[in-house]
């Protein structure tokens, strides 16, 4: 998912903002997978509705892909030309540098109170919320119903069952019995899902108080199992996990070449377009249901440089209305970040909303990346580049995790958040 858009809004004559026009710029990420469903269309519609109620407003939209959007914003800030708002993947570095408005200086109490609590908490740096959740997703295990029926197997509920199912699928000639994307695109996500479902409850990347525990014994055990019981037995397909990216794994699933993989809501639309019959179940744990699903949130933030807190806040209150949150979530198959929109979606009888229920059900108990740590960006990058080596035949899970722990500890030493 990714797309960045630059918005320019000229605000004037509303409330106490005065009669002079103010230009606001928003850079956002594109969640579409083609020009036909680019996020630019979503923002164009939203902006038109906002402008119709604010005659002095002009909003100019530009869109970048997820591959570029974070870097674009970083370059703009470094050049002294921060946008008024950015809707990107991480906020903590900017918060720590004192560049962002706290959410409380922008949003109405009603808007703030509507965010799902674990998302608001994940948006905090140094106990103050700077990251405003914009989109959320969780992960479930997708499986190809047609391939499972041909193989005479049922969806797994434990790791041993998952490995057994993958073995049966391999015997039936399935190209990717279990697709394990640990390539540099999004390895930090696949890894975290496995760590959370590991032995001893799974520890993820950090403990309950936010200290990195990457090289914990349960985490070493998890990657050792992946190396020996999945990768080592040839159950993950022809592309080494370290070289398999998430987008390629999703495309292979949509082409009917994958038996099972961990997926987020956008895979529903991708698979349905290709006519793949699929089912979804919670990610199995080592001996039963995983302790938690992995949750992911993308963030909206507002930069202080241009001093437009009041105008920016007015626009963001509109962005986070129930209608607009639902429109975005439904367009891109993602989960609402507000309680009002979540409740509406959960009670809806629409087929598309029902399809998101397995993800919606997991969101309240999901665990998010440690995004409130300024060190997370460096740690995430290191995981993307190195974790695939741990599960390669002959790889050393303990060695790779120890090096990642050292990277995390060093990066964390200067982190006040």
């Amino acid at each position: 998912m990714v797309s960045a858009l630059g918005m320019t809004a000229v605000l004037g004559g509303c409330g106490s903002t005065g009669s002079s026009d103010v230009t606001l710029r928003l850079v956002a990420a594109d969640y579409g997978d083609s020009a036909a469903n680019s996020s630019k269309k979503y923002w164009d519609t939203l902006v038109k509705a906002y402008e119709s109620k604010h005659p002095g407003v002009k909003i100019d939209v530009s869109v970048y892909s997820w591959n570029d959007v974070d870097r674009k914003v970083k370059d703009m800030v470094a050049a002294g030309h921060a946008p008024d708002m950015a809707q990107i993947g991480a906020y903590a570095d900017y918060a720590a540098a004192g560049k962002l408005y706290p959410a409380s200086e922008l949003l109405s109490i009603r808007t703030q109170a509507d965010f799902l609590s674990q998302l608001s908490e994940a948006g905090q740096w140094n106990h103050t919320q700077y990251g405003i959740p914009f989109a959320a997703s969780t992960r479930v295990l997708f499986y190809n119903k047609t391939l499972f029926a041909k193989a005479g197997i049922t969806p797994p509920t434990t790791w041993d069952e998952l490995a057994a199912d993958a073995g049966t699928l391999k015997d039936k000639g399935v190209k990717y019995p279990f697709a394990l994307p640990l390539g540099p695109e999004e390895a930090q996500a696949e890894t975290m899902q496995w760590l959370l479902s590991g032995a001893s409850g799974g520890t993820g990347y950090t403990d309950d108080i936010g200290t990195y525990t990457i090289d914990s014994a349960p985490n070493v055990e998890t990657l050792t199992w992946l190396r020996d019981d999945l990768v080592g037995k040839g159950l993950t397909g022809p592309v080494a996990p370290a070289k398999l990216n998430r987008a390629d794994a999703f495309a292979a699933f949509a082409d009917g070449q994958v038996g099972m993989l961990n997926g987020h809501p956008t895979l529903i639309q991708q698979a349905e377009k290709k006519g793949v019959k699929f089912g979804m179940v919670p990610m199995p744990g080592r001996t039963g249901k995983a302790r938690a699903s992995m949750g992911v949130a993308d963030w909206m933030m507002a930069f202080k440089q241009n001093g437009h807190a009041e105008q920016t806040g007015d626009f963001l209150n509109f962005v986070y209305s129930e209608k607009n949150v639902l429109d975005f979530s439904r367009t891109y198959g993602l989960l609402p970040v507000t309680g009002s929109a979540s409740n509406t979606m959960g009670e809806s009888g629409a087929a598309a909303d029902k399809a998101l229920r397995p993800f919606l059900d997991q969101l309240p108990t999901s665990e998010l990346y440690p995004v409130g740590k300024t060190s997370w960006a460096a740690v995430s990058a290191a995981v993307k580049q190195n974790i695939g080596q741990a599960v390669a035949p002959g790889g050393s899970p303990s060695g790779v995790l120890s090096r990642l722990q050292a990277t995390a500890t060093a990066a964390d030493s200067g982190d006040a958040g």
Side-chain angles (χ1 to χ4, degrees), residues 319-338:
V319 168
Y320 285 101
S321 68
E322 181 181 336
K323 175 189 181 300
N324 289 329
V325 172
L326 278 171
D327 283 350
F328 177 83
S329 300
R330 286 167 169 161
T331 299
Y332 298 105
L334 291 164
L335 304 181
V337 296
T338 62

Side-chain angles (χ1 to χ4, degrees), residues 288-319:
K289 188 179 178 185
R291 175 173 67 82
S293 172
M294 187 195 69
V296 177
D298 297 326
W299 304 95
M300 178 74 77
M301 63 214 69
F303 289 88
K304 295 194 291 189
Q305 181 179 333
N306 302 315
H308 298 149
E310 185 177 349
Q311 297 90 342
T312 298
D314 186 68
F315 178 69
L316 289 176
N317 282 322
F318 180 75
V319 168

Side-chain angles (χ1 to χ4, degrees), residues 4 15 28 41 50 52 58 67 72 107 109 125 151 153 158 164 170 192 209 220 265 281 319 321 380 400 411-412 414:
K41 289 195 168 184
Y50 186 76
S52 71
K58 167 109 174 81
N67 296 324
K72 290 275 190 185
L107 303 172
I109 292 173
W125 178 83
I153 54 178
T158 66
K170 182 187 177 186
M192 184 168 170
I209 59 170
V220 173
V281 294
V319 168
S321 68
S380 175
V400 170
D412 210 27

Side-chain angles (χ1 to χ4, degrees), residues 85-97:
M85 293 165 279
Q87 186 272 297
I88 50 178
Y91 66 86
D93 282 351
Y94 300 122

